[in-house]
């Protein structure tokens, strides 16, 4: 259980204003999961997250970002559920 | 003079791009000259190897690859946006023209249309 | 392994506009597989369009309202569209059709229409409330 | 003063999501006042929700589908919702109801459902085509 | 612990803010503690003197001014966003708490919710 | 008639990615009209348009931006129609 950390679920492309708002809100003990258009931030080295980071594999595959994401921890929907189970506090951006 | 259909939103997360593509195909079907401009997050339409089975959608790449067959005159991409999203010649669909000055592209077309 | 938890899912993004209904369904399926339960699904804002009985995508495309309907029925999960969001957007059940003397109703079973109280109750009662927004 | 021109208006933003239908109506009214004509209105993408006969906002709020319907009838302006956008989003006329054996239809008169050809024709024939997008 | 409802989109152009406000009012009506955070373009909700007659909508300012009556615990605004949009004490609704560290505000609430 | 210039109609708040794309596309001979959330760019001196500029009064009033817009040319819907009539080429952003 990592009960002191917040799980952030981010589905916005980096040019969306809520993307940067989420990044600014991250604490080092938090966990960030990129889903949907959120995975696009892994393209072109735009991503600078100061905490534990995951990205959803189905969304990476859809957008052909396997190469850009090779240094990220990729997860499937089962692992996303597990992260929500171990984090009592979750923010969907 | 041609109509320029602009896509500035990413595929899969938004539906607008597909409806933009339908507009371009429709123009071509009625023998009206049409070109497409990809800019901002819209350049992510152009990445090769999209496999959207896991998100329950049809491939945007596959839809777009029909553009020359349908008679779309040009696929144009914003060079700067391609750089931002790490798109290179080797990761991009073939036949896309890179441009650095969007203003000139907009100026070259009589109609400039976003789908939403 | 964590204990079995209850989830409330809130969907605010519309199908054929956003990816929210599809991501939510994948999440919901995975949650049940892991032994968790989903105590309710709440549609809010543009998310209410997921409950339309008239959505008719081309036959070679995913039909998200139908997929959700099958999923909810199979697992006996209650699902509600917010009444204020739904009425404005033209999502109507039999009761509202009668009350406002409207020409039709278009709510897909098993979705129901109710107030935000359902959301308040769900987010208080469930162990986790997860939101699925548009992009 | 410019000559009298013909306008095609395209609305892609939904009511109760964006301001597009309202701005478009103010624009359309002003265009007619100035002696111009509107040869057609085309609803595309989420804009098709403007043509719902079931939208039921609170009685103290503006009712954009109804306001548009009154305006279109009064000035005899044809208005079309794109069939591909409309079917996916559950906006259905009698013909499509019969074709797909759907439980109801919900298209507000005088809106009709037709293909993108209407848009192509409109934007070729009109002097000006003005788009009203969501925010 | 309280629920924080976040508004980061401007009034009138978007409907999401109104639906966020309804969420906050609904929590309060069921005796659940609720606060609201305005950030990004959402701070434009807080400007005094809104006159939306010409755009056919009800006043967002008026809707929001009912918040204390409904029992909303706090209206919190992102100081930086207020500066960006030229909002000062004299142009802003009374009773709004300005904060510079959003992360702390998010940390203070058990639930943090966007309406869309 | 100002037939060589493009009329740009911009309804996006300054933080929307299409806002900056529009500003970048402006030529000195063009005309920009701010409508809907577009008028928010007049708040806080965020607006830097290199061309003729108008803003729609109904949207300014709704958002209480009269003071911020006092140096802008404000127009009503009639004048907006007139601008569309005098500009053969129009881009709605």
């Amino acid at each position: 259980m990592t009960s002191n950390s917040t799980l952030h679920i981010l589905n916005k492309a980096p040019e969306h204003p809520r993307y940067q708002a989420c990044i600014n809100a991250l604490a080092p003990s938090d966990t960030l999961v990129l889903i949907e258009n959120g995975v696009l931030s892994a393209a072109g080295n735009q991503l600078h997250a100061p905490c534990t980071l995951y990205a959803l594999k189905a969304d990476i595959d859809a957008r052909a970002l396997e190469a850009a994401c090779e240094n990220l921890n990729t997860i499937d929907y089962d692992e996303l559920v597990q992260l929500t189970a171990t984090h009592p506090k979750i923010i969907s951006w | 003079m041609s109509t320029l259909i602009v896509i500035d939103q990413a595929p899969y997360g938004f539906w607008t791009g597909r409806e933009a593509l339908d507009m371009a195909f429709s123009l071509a079907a009625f023998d009206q000259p049409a070109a497409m401009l990809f800019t901002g997050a819209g350049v992510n339409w152009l990445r090769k190897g999209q496999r959207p089975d896991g998100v329950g959608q049809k491939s945007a790449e596959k839809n777009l690859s029909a553009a020359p067959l349908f008679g779309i005159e040009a696929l144009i991409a914003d060079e700067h946006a391609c750089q931002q999203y790490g798109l290179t010649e080797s990761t991009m669909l073939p036949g896309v023209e890179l441009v650095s000055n969007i203003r000139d592209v907009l100026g070259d077309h009589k109609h400039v249309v976003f789908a939403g | 392994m964590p204990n079995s938890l209850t989830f409330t899912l809130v969907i605010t993004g519309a199908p054929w506009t956003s990816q929210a209904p599809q991501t939510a369904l994948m999440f919901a399926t995975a949650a049940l597989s892991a032994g968790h339960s989903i105590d309710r699904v709440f549609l809010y804002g543009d998310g209410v369009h997921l409950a339309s009985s008239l959505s008719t995508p081309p036959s070679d495309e995913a039909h998200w309202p139908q997929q959700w309907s099958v999923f909810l029925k199979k697992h006996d999960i209650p699902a509600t569209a917010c009444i204020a969001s739904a009425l404005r957007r033209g999502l109507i059940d039999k009761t509202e059709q009668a009350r406002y003397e409207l020409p039709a109703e278009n709510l897909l079973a098993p979705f129901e229409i109710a107030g935000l109280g359902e959301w308040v109750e769900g987010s208080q009662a469930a162990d986790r409330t997860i939101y699925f927004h548009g992009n």
Side-chain angles (χ1 to χ4, degrees), chain A, chain B, chain C:
Chain A
M1 295 287 281
T2 52
S3 57
N4 289 328
S5 92
T6 297
L7 177 67
H8 300 264
I9 301 178
L10 176 55
N11 74 339
K12 305 291 189 284
E15 55 178 52
H16 192 291
R18 206 180 284 171
Y19 175 88
Q20 194 56 48
C22 170
I23 299 295
N24 292 345
L26 298 170
S29 60
D30 287 350
T31 297
L32 173 64
V33 183
L34 303 173
I35 69 168
E36 301 179 353
N37 281 350
V39 304
L40 293 172
S41 60
N45 297 314
Q46 302 180 71
L47 177 62
H48 304 285
C51 69
T52 307
L53 176 65
Y54 300 94
L56 194 59
K57 186 155 175 24
D59 286 312
I60 293 168
D61 290 349
R63 294 162 182 81
L65 289 171
E66 295 85 345
C69 294
E70 64 181 0
N71 295 321
L72 294 188
N73 297 311
T74 62
I75 58 173
D76 60 17
Y77 292 100
D78 293 336
E79 291 163 299
L80 176 57
V81 167
Q82 218 171 312
L83 284 171
T84 63
T86 53
H87 289 78
K89 182 164 174 182
I90 301 165
I91 304 179
S92 291
W93 292 83
Chain B
M1 263 165 80
S2 170
T3 298
L4 183 72
I5 304 288
V6 187
I7 294 187
D8 67 349
Q9 292 182 324
Y12 306 111
F14 287 106
W15 201 261
T16 342
R18 295 185 190 269
E19 292 182 316
L21 194 58
D22 284 348
M23 290 178 118
F25 286 177
S26 209
L27 287 167
F30 287 90
D31 290 324
Q32 301 295 329
M36 301 190 71
L37 171 64
F38 296 84
T39 181
V43 297
N44 291 292
W45 270 80
L46 303 169
R47 195 171 271 109
K48 273 195 301 199
Q50 299 170 32
R51 293 182 295 122
D53 286 356
V55 303
Q57 291 187 37
K58 292 203 278 187
S59 167
E61 177 188 5
K62 204 168 160 188
N63 283 9
L64 181 58
S65 66
L69 294 175
F70 273 79
I72 307 295
E73 293 190 335
L75 301 179
I76 306 165
D78 177 347
E79 193 170 28
H80 174 76
C82 290
Q83 275 163 14
Q84 189 194 337
Y85 282 100
L87 273 160
T88 59
E89 210 181 317
S90 68
T91 56
M92 216 185 310
L93 294 184
V96 177
E97 180 189 341
L98 291 181
V99 297
S100 57
N101 190 328
I102 298 300
R103 197 188 299 167
D104 289 349
V105 179
L106 302 179
D108 286 345
H109 295 82
K110 186 177 173 199
H111 297 291
V112 174
V113 175
F114 292 87
Chain C
M1 193 186 137
N3 297 329
S4 168
L5 301 175
T6 59
F7 284 79
T8 284
L9 306 186
V10 181
I11 302 175
T12 69
W16 298 291
T17 300
S18 77
Q19 213 183 321
Q22 177 272 320
T23 302
L25 184 55
M26 300 298 273
F27 182 91
T29 305
L32 295 188
S33 299
H36 302 300
S37 63
I38 296 169
D39 71 346
R40 82 192 74 200
V41 174
F42 190 76
L43 308 184
Y44 196 54
D46 289 346
V48 300
H49 290 302
L50 181 60
S52 168
S53 65
L54 302 180
S55 275
T56 313
S59 56
D60 61 342
E61 272 184 23
H63 192 317
W64 291 293
Q66 221 159 67
Q67 287 184 15
W68 262 106
S69 172
V70 168
F71 176 84
L72 293 167
K73 282 178 179 165
K74 181 173 170 195
H75 301 288
D76 203 21
I77 296 168
T80 305
C82 168
I83 188 166
S85 302
L87 284 174
R88 286 192 180 86
R89 290 173 177 82
L91 219 277
I92 303 294
D93 67 3
K94 282 199 173 57
T95 308
E96 303 306 319
Q97 179 189 3
R99 186 197 316 266
Y100 294 103
E101 300 176 4
L102 295 166
E105 58 98 8
N106 59 348
L107 189 71
L108 181 64
F111 286 102
E112 297 187 355
I113 288 183
L116 269 167
E118 280 291 308
W119 164 73
V120 174
E121 199 182 304
S123 50
Q124 295 303 319
D127 296 308
R128 301 284 185 277
T129 304
I130 315 282
Y131 294 81
F132 297 88
H133 298 309
N135 285 108

mmCIF file of all heavy atoms in Angstrom, chain A residues 38-71:
data_model
loop_
_atom_site.group_PDB
_atom_site.id
_atom_site.type_symbol
_atom_site.label_atom_id
_atom_site.label_comp_id
_atom_site.label_asym_id
_atom_site.label_seq_id
_atom_site.Cartn_x
_atom_site.Cartn_y
_atom_site.Cartn_z
ATOM 1 N N GLY A 38 -2.747 11.134 -23.485
ATOM 2 C CA GLY A 38 -1.657 11.421 -22.554
ATOM 3 C C GLY A 38 -0.357 10.749 -22.958
ATOM 4 O O GLY A 38 0.731 11.290 -22.709
ATOM 5 N N VAL A 39 -0.440 9.580 -23.609
ATOM 6 C CA VAL A 39 0.792 8.880 -23.996
ATOM 7 C C VAL A 39 1.573 9.636 -25.067
ATOM 8 O O VAL A 39 2.769 9.389 -25.261
ATOM 9 C CB VAL A 39 0.526 7.427 -24.466
ATOM 10 C CG1 VAL A 39 -0.218 6.628 -23.403
ATOM 11 C CG2 VAL A 39 -0.223 7.391 -25.783
ATOM 12 N N LEU A 40 0.917 10.574 -25.749
ATOM 13 C CA LEU A 40 1.619 11.336 -26.796
ATOM 14 C C LEU A 40 2.765 12.163 -26.220
ATOM 15 O O LEU A 40 3.683 12.547 -26.948
ATOM 16 C CB LEU A 40 0.632 12.271 -27.518
ATOM 17 C CG LEU A 40 -0.441 11.571 -28.359
ATOM 18 C CD1 LEU A 40 -1.462 12.589 -28.850
ATOM 19 C CD2 LEU A 40 0.194 10.843 -29.532
ATOM 20 N N SER A 41 2.729 12.439 -24.936
ATOM 21 C CA SER A 41 3.815 13.236 -24.350
ATOM 22 C C SER A 41 5.125 12.463 -24.343
ATOM 23 O O SER A 41 6.192 13.058 -24.187
ATOM 24 C CB SER A 41 3.443 13.673 -22.938
ATOM 25 O OG SER A 41 3.207 12.552 -22.119
ATOM 26 N N ALA A 42 5.053 11.143 -24.503
ATOM 27 C CA ALA A 42 6.298 10.367 -24.575
ATOM 28 C C ALA A 42 7.008 10.571 -25.909
ATOM 29 O O ALA A 42 8.202 10.309 -26.031
ATOM 30 C CB ALA A 42 6.003 8.890 -24.361
ATOM 31 N N ALA A 43 6.293 11.049 -26.921
ATOM 32 C CA ALA A 43 6.897 11.276 -28.234
ATOM 33 C C ALA A 43 7.734 12.556 -28.207
ATOM 34 O O ALA A 43 7.313 13.564 -27.652
ATOM 35 C CB ALA A 43 5.812 11.379 -29.298
ATOM 36 N N GLY A 44 8.925 12.493 -28.794
ATOM 37 C CA GLY A 44 9.742 13.702 -28.909
ATOM 38 C C GLY A 44 10.295 14.218 -27.595
ATOM 39 O O GLY A 44 10.581 15.411 -27.473
ATOM 40 N N ASN A 45 10.439 13.336 -26.598
ATOM 41 C CA ASN A 45 11.059 13.748 -25.327
ATOM 42 C C ASN A 45 10.414 14.963 -24.689
ATOM 43 O O ASN A 45 11.088 15.846 -24.158
ATOM 44 C CB ASN A 45 12.545 14.046 -25.539
ATOM 45 C CG ASN A 45 13.290 12.816 -25.985
ATOM 46 O OD1 ASN A 45 13.109 11.742 -25.419
ATOM 47 N ND2 ASN A 45 14.106 12.957 -27.015
ATOM 48 N N GLN A 46 9.084 15.045 -24.738
ATOM 49 C CA GLN A 46 8.399 16.175 -24.121
ATOM 50 C C GLN A 46 8.087 15.928 -22.650
ATOM 51 O O GLN A 46 7.660 16.820 -21.942
ATOM 52 C CB GLN A 46 7.055 16.428 -24.826
ATOM 53 C CG GLN A 46 7.196 16.709 -26.308
ATOM 54 C CD GLN A 46 5.838 16.942 -26.942
ATOM 55 O OE1 GLN A 46 5.197 17.957 -26.717
ATOM 56 N NE2 GLN A 46 5.394 15.987 -27.737
ATOM 57 N N LEU A 47 8.274 14.676 -22.211
ATOM 58 C CA LEU A 47 7.753 14.254 -20.915
ATOM 59 C C LEU A 47 8.789 14.418 -19.807
ATOM 60 O O LEU A 47 9.883 13.871 -19.886
ATOM 61 C CB LEU A 47 7.338 12.776 -21.032
ATOM 62 C CG LEU A 47 6.836 12.077 -19.793
ATOM 63 C CD1 LEU A 47 5.576 12.751 -19.275
ATOM 64 C CD2 LEU A 47 6.562 10.616 -20.113
ATOM 65 N N HIS A 48 8.422 15.198 -18.787
ATOM 66 C CA HIS A 48 9.311 15.373 -17.635
ATOM 67 C C HIS A 48 8.484 15.243 -16.371
ATOM 68 O O HIS A 48 7.979 16.232 -15.848
ATOM 69 C CB HIS A 48 10.014 16.729 -17.691
ATOM 70 C CG HIS A 48 10.767 16.930 -18.967
ATOM 71 N ND1 HIS A 48 11.966 16.315 -19.232
ATOM 72 C CD2 HIS A 48 10.453 17.627 -20.081
ATOM 73 C CE1 HIS A 48 12.380 16.645 -20.451
ATOM 74 N NE2 HIS A 48 11.473 17.444 -20.996
ATOM 75 N N ALA A 49 8.318 14.037 -15.886
ATOM 76 C CA ALA A 49 7.498 13.802 -14.700
ATOM 77 C C ALA A 49 8.420 13.500 -13.518
ATOM 78 O O ALA A 49 9.284 12.626 -13.617
ATOM 79 C CB ALA A 49 6.536 12.651 -14.943
ATOM 80 N N PRO A 50 8.229 14.203 -12.411
ATOM 81 C CA PRO A 50 9.125 14.051 -11.261
ATOM 82 C C PRO A 50 8.691 12.936 -10.317
ATOM 83 O O PRO A 50 8.917 13.031 -9.111
ATOM 84 C CB PRO A 50 8.983 15.412 -10.578
ATOM 85 C CG PRO A 50 7.548 15.786 -10.816
ATOM 86 C CD PRO A 50 7.191 15.215 -12.157
ATOM 87 N N CYS A 51 8.037 11.897 -10.834
ATOM 88 C CA CYS A 51 7.527 10.845 -9.931
ATOM 89 C C CYS A 51 7.455 9.531 -10.678
ATOM 90 O O CYS A 51 7.809 9.450 -11.853
ATOM 91 C CB CYS A 51 6.153 11.254 -9.399
ATOM 92 S SG CYS A 51 4.872 11.263 -10.649
ATOM 93 N N THR A 52 6.978 8.502 -10.020
ATOM 94 C CA THR A 52 6.795 7.192 -10.650
ATOM 95 C C THR A 52 5.816 7.333 -11.818
ATOM 96 O O THR A 52 4.814 8.022 -11.709
ATOM 97 C CB THR A 52 6.214 6.193 -9.637
ATOM 98 O OG1 THR A 52 7.033 6.210 -8.475
ATOM 99 C CG2 THR A 52 6.159 4.793 -10.219
ATOM 100 N N LEU A 53 6.137 6.649 -12.915
ATOM 101 C CA LEU A 53 5.425 6.916 -14.160
ATOM 102 C C LEU A 53 5.070 5.608 -14.863
ATOM 103 O O LEU A 53 5.898 4.710 -14.981
ATOM 104 C CB LEU A 53 6.351 7.753 -15.052
ATOM 105 C CG LEU A 53 5.897 8.104 -16.449
ATOM 106 C CD1 LEU A 53 4.672 9.003 -16.395
ATOM 107 C CD2 LEU A 53 7.024 8.804 -17.191
ATOM 108 N N TYR A 54 3.832 5.520 -15.318
ATOM 109 C CA TYR A 54 3.389 4.381 -16.130
ATOM 110 C C TYR A 54 2.637 4.905 -17.359
ATOM 111 O O TYR A 54 2.130 6.023 -17.349
ATOM 112 C CB TYR A 54 2.452 3.469 -15.342
ATOM 113 C CG TYR A 54 3.053 2.872 -14.101
ATOM 114 C CD1 TYR A 54 2.875 3.501 -12.864
ATOM 115 C CD2 TYR A 54 3.784 1.694 -14.147
ATOM 116 C CE1 TYR A 54 3.422 2.953 -11.707
ATOM 117 C CE2 TYR A 54 4.331 1.137 -12.996
ATOM 118 C CZ TYR A 54 4.150 1.780 -11.782
ATOM 119 O OH TYR A 54 4.689 1.236 -10.645
ATOM 120 N N ALA A 55 2.567 4.063 -18.388
ATOM 121 C CA ALA A 55 1.776 4.431 -19.572
ATOM 122 C C ALA A 55 1.003 3.202 -20.044
ATOM 123 O O ALA A 55 1.502 2.068 -19.977
ATOM 124 C CB ALA A 55 2.686 4.948 -20.678
ATOM 125 N N LEU A 56 -0.214 3.421 -20.510
ATOM 126 C CA LEU A 56 -1.120 2.324 -20.855
ATOM 127 C C LEU A 56 -0.774 1.762 -22.243
ATOM 128 O O LEU A 56 -0.784 2.481 -23.239
ATOM 129 C CB LEU A 56 -2.563 2.837 -20.822
ATOM 130 C CG LEU A 56 -3.673 1.790 -20.818
ATOM 131 C CD1 LEU A 56 -3.565 0.850 -19.633
ATOM 132 C CD2 LEU A 56 -5.026 2.488 -20.797
ATOM 133 N N LYS A 57 -0.497 0.445 -22.259
ATOM 134 C CA LYS A 57 0.023 -0.178 -23.474
ATOM 135 C C LYS A 57 -0.938 -0.079 -24.657
ATOM 136 O O LYS A 57 -0.514 0.167 -25.787
ATOM 137 C CB LYS A 57 0.348 -1.647 -23.177
ATOM 138 C CG LYS A 57 1.031 -2.336 -24.327
ATOM 139 C CD LYS A 57 1.869 -3.505 -23.888
ATOM 140 C CE LYS A 57 2.464 -4.266 -25.078
ATOM 141 N NZ LYS A 57 2.603 -3.484 -26.314
ATOM 142 N N ALA A 58 -2.233 -0.260 -24.424
ATOM 143 C CA ALA A 58 -3.200 -0.228 -25.533
ATOM 144 C C ALA A 58 -3.156 1.129 -26.241
ATOM 145 O O ALA A 58 -3.275 1.207 -27.473
ATOM 146 C CB ALA A 58 -4.614 -0.506 -25.017
ATOM 147 N N ASP A 59 -2.972 2.195 -25.467
ATOM 148 C CA ASP A 59 -2.927 3.527 -26.074
ATOM 149 C C ASP A 59 -1.595 3.806 -26.768
ATOM 150 O O ASP A 59 -1.556 4.531 -27.764
ATOM 151 C CB ASP A 59 -3.229 4.588 -25.002
ATOM 152 C CG ASP A 59 -4.710 4.602 -24.633
ATOM 153 O OD1 ASP A 59 -5.542 4.620 -25.565
ATOM 154 O OD2 ASP A 59 -5.038 4.582 -23.437
ATOM 155 N N ILE A 60 -0.521 3.226 -26.240
ATOM 156 C CA ILE A 60 0.786 3.340 -26.907
ATOM 157 C C ILE A 60 0.748 2.619 -28.256
ATOM 158 O O ILE A 60 1.170 3.163 -29.274
ATOM 159 C CB ILE A 60 1.887 2.730 -26.015
ATOM 160 C CG1 ILE A 60 2.078 3.572 -24.748
ATOM 161 C CG2 ILE A 60 3.198 2.593 -26.782
ATOM 162 C CD1 ILE A 60 2.924 2.889 -23.696
ATOM 163 N N ASP A 61 0.222 1.399 -28.250
ATOM 164 C CA ASP A 61 0.153 0.611 -29.485
ATOM 165 C C ASP A 61 -0.712 1.303 -30.533
ATOM 166 O O ASP A 61 -0.368 1.340 -31.717
ATOM 167 C CB ASP A 61 -0.429 -0.781 -29.202
ATOM 168 C CG ASP A 61 0.533 -1.639 -28.396
ATOM 169 O OD1 ASP A 61 1.700 -1.237 -28.239
ATOM 170 O OD2 ASP A 61 0.102 -2.704 -27.913
ATOM 171 N N ALA A 62 -1.858 1.840 -30.106
ATOM 172 C CA ALA A 62 -2.755 2.500 -31.049
ATOM 173 C C ALA A 62 -2.022 3.622 -31.769
ATOM 174 O O ALA A 62 -2.194 3.809 -32.977
ATOM 175 C CB ALA A 62 -3.977 3.060 -30.323
ATOM 176 N N ARG A 63 -1.189 4.341 -31.035
ATOM 177 C CA ARG A 63 -0.519 5.524 -31.587
ATOM 178 C C ARG A 63 0.898 5.225 -32.104
ATOM 179 O O ARG A 63 1.641 6.160 -32.406
ATOM 180 C CB ARG A 63 -0.504 6.621 -30.523
ATOM 181 C CG ARG A 63 -1.920 7.127 -30.207
ATOM 182 C CD ARG A 63 -2.005 7.869 -28.893
ATOM 183 N NE ARG A 63 -3.375 8.309 -28.597
ATOM 184 C CZ ARG A 63 -4.329 7.525 -28.065
ATOM 185 N NH1 ARG A 63 -4.071 6.262 -27.786
ATOM 186 N NH2 ARG A 63 -5.539 8.003 -27.828
ATOM 187 N N ALA A 64 1.261 3.949 -32.144
ATOM 188 C CA ALA A 64 2.569 3.531 -32.672
ATOM 189 C C ALA A 64 3.722 4.193 -31.936
ATOM 190 O O ALA A 64 4.697 4.638 -32.544
ATOM 191 C CB ALA A 64 2.661 3.800 -34.184
ATOM 192 N N LEU A 65 3.629 4.232 -30.617
ATOM 193 C CA LEU A 65 4.654 4.907 -29.817
ATOM 194 C C LEU A 65 5.517 3.928 -29.019
ATOM 195 O O LEU A 65 6.133 4.311 -28.015
ATOM 196 C CB LEU A 65 3.997 5.919 -28.872
ATOM 197 C CG LEU A 65 3.432 7.159 -29.575
ATOM 198 C CD1 LEU A 65 2.617 7.998 -28.609
ATOM 199 C CD2 LEU A 65 4.563 7.989 -30.173
ATOM 200 N N GLU A 66 5.593 2.662 -29.490
ATOM 201 C CA GLU A 66 6.377 1.676 -28.751
ATOM 202 C C GLU A 66 7.819 2.133 -28.583
ATOM 203 O O GLU A 66 8.401 2.009 -27.493
ATOM 204 C CB GLU A 66 6.363 0.319 -29.468
ATOM 205 C CG GLU A 66 4.996 -0.345 -29.541
ATOM 206 C CD GLU A 66 4.174 0.134 -30.727
ATOM 207 O OE1 GLU A 66 4.518 1.172 -31.332
ATOM 208 O OE2 GLU A 66 3.170 -0.534 -31.043
ATOM 209 N N ALA A 67 8.426 2.665 -29.634
ATOM 210 C CA ALA A 67 9.831 3.071 -29.561
ATOM 211 C C ALA A 67 10.006 4.241 -28.591
ATOM 212 O O ALA A 67 10.916 4.241 -27.761
ATOM 213 C CB ALA A 67 10.344 3.459 -30.959
ATOM 214 N N ALA A 68 9.124 5.217 -28.698
ATOM 215 C CA ALA A 68 9.234 6.393 -27.827
ATOM 216 C C ALA A 68 9.026 6.028 -26.363
ATOM 217 O O ALA A 68 9.499 6.731 -25.459
ATOM 218 C CB ALA A 68 8.206 7.449 -28.252
ATOM 219 N N CYS A 69 8.315 4.922 -26.121
ATOM 220 C CA CYS A 69 7.962 4.541 -24.751
ATOM 221 C C CYS A 69 8.843 3.431 -24.208
ATOM 222 O O CYS A 69 8.546 2.862 -23.155
ATOM 223 C CB CYS A 69 6.498 4.112 -24.691
ATOM 224 S SG CYS A 69 5.349 5.463 -25.017
ATOM 225 N N GLU A 70 9.950 3.110 -24.908
ATOM 226 C CA GLU A 70 10.685 1.904 -24.488
ATOM 227 C C GLU A 70 11.339 2.069 -23.120
ATOM 228 O O GLU A 70 11.620 1.084 -22.454
ATOM 229 C CB GLU A 70 11.696 1.459 -25.554
ATOM 230 C CG GLU A 70 12.794 2.435 -25.810
ATOM 231 C CD GLU A 70 13.748 1.946 -26.909
ATOM 232 O OE1 GLU A 70 13.538 0.843 -27.451
ATOM 233 O OE2 GLU A 70 14.694 2.683 -27.214
ATOM 234 N N ASN A 71 11.538 3.298 -22.665
ATOM 235 C CA ASN A 71 12.076 3.496 -21.320
ATOM 236 C C ASN A 71 11.007 3.742 -20.259
ATOM 237 O O ASN A 71 11.319 4.027 -19.111
ATOM 238 C CB ASN A 71 13.075 4.660 -21.314
ATOM 239 C CG ASN A 71 14.295 4.329 -22.159
ATOM 240 O OD1 ASN A 71 14.772 3.190 -22.141
ATOM 241 N ND2 ASN A 71 14.766 5.306 -22.928
#
